[in-house]
Amino acid sequence: MKGRDVSYILLFVQQYQPSAAEAFLKLEAEFKKLERSSPEFAQGRRYLSEGEPAHTLLWECEFASLDDVQDALKKMADDPTHQALFEKQLRYIVETRTEIYKTLDL
């Protein structure tokens, strides 16, 4: 692959209730603090959608392998603080999905 390690992108797409934007984003800031508190957590980047669907947060992180993606997902699922934050945030989420992409080096 032209001298590059194969990499993967993990993407969380979360559409939230417009009326709950402030509360939703406040909880998202808590997720960011949690990530920064431990190098074991994936250090993702966050984006707000400027298009459709509106009121959508994207969290993205790149990994060297699919195993690394799976390890990161397991760490999130197994961490009680992460799960408690997600349970709080879930009440504001209209739709959510997890996407995994393999980067191409053409």
Side-chain angles (χ1 to χ4, degrees):
M1 296 205 79
K2 297 186 181 179
R4 241 189 99 189
D5 291 335
V6 174
S7 61
Y8 291 81
I9 294 174
L10 173 62
L11 182 68
F12 297 139
V13 181
Q14 298 174 324
Q15 186 178 2
Y16 54 90
Q17 301 167 15
S19 61
E22 185 176 342
F24 178 86
L25 294 175
K26 186 175 181 179
L27 286 166
E28 192 60 34
E30 293 297 316
F31 278 108
K32 185 174 181 178
K33 283 183 197 175
L34 179 61
E35 287 174 19
R36 301 298 181 252
S37 73
S38 174
E40 294 178 7
F41 273 106
Q43 306 293 309
R45 291 178 297 275
R46 290 161 173 81
Y47 308 93
L48 288 177
S49 174
E50 292 290 323
E52 293 296 326
H55 308 296
T56 301
L57 177 110
L58 305 169
W59 180 93
E60 171 211 55
C61 194
E62 191 168 322
F63 296 88
S65 71
L66 188 55
D67 286 340
D68 291 342
V69 171
Q70 293 169 339
D71 289 345
L73 289 168
K74 182 170 178 13
K75 169 72 176 161
M76 291 174 202
D78 290 348
D79 185 83
T81 304
H82 189 280
Q83 286 306 307
L85 283 172
F86 185 67
E87 287 297 320
K88 289 179 184 178
Q89 200 177 46
L90 193 56
R91 73 184 102 185
Y92 306 122
I93 295 175
V94 175
E95 183 180 330
T96 186
R97 67 183 182 274
T98 300
E99 300 176 0
I100 299 171
Y101 297 94
K102 182 177 179 179
T103 57
L104 294 177
D105 189 10
L106 301 175

